[in-house]
Amino acid sequence: MSGAPRTGPYVCGLDAAMDVVGGKWKSLILWELRQGARRFGELRRGLPGVSERVLARQLREMEEDELVHREVYPVVPPHVEYSLTEQGRSLYGALESLGAWGRRRIARIGAARLDVEHAGG
């Protein structure tokens, strides 16, 4: 990543939105951060299957896209917390209807869910 938010060009609003939440983990990271700040280890435990490398990259990209705030506390050992920015909270709000659609699909096709706690996302 260049360190700056992506700026298009985009075909439509959905294209611009998917640019920042595309992939498996970003929407799930939003889901994990919806109730408040989390440390890296807490996020990793809350996202079974994500590697440390992938999670770090996704968080860095989300920070560049101004969805996630990274707070570093000057203590030893370093303490870092991630939280949603106003932009991240608004994006999560927009994704809630997509999550509701997904829950209806799960019910309709009788698909199993990995974890009822994470099914809201």
Side-chain angles (χ1 to χ4, degrees), residues 19-93:
D19 190 28
V20 295
V21 294
K24 178 177 181 176
W25 299 108
K26 288 182 181 178
S27 59
L28 296 175
I29 291 168
L30 287 169
W31 169 253
E32 279 296 311
L33 292 174
R34 77 198 181 285
Q35 292 182 14
R38 298 278 188 275
R39 293 181 74 169
F40 186 87
E42 293 173 312
L43 283 171
R44 187 143 184 243
R45 284 188 296 279
L47 300 168
V50 69
S51 72
E52 198 169 303
R53 180 176 164 262
V54 168
L55 180 57
R57 186 179 70 236
Q58 299 287 278
L59 286 166
R60 192 169 36 254
E61 289 177 9
M62 293 174 78
E63 186 179 4
E64 290 168 359
D65 288 327
E66 301 175 350
L67 302 175
V68 169
H69 173 72
R70 181 177 184 261
E71 183 76 30
V72 179
Y73 295 91
V75 294
V76 177
H79 176 96
V80 178
E81 287 185 346
Y82 296 90
S83 60
L84 294 179
T85 62
E86 184 178 330
Q87 286 295 307
R89 287 188 298 275
S90 70
L91 178 57
Y92 177 76

Side-chain angles (χ1 to χ4, degrees), residues 2-14:
S2 65
R6 290 169 284 240
T7 58
Y10 297 115
V11 174
C12 64
L14 186 58

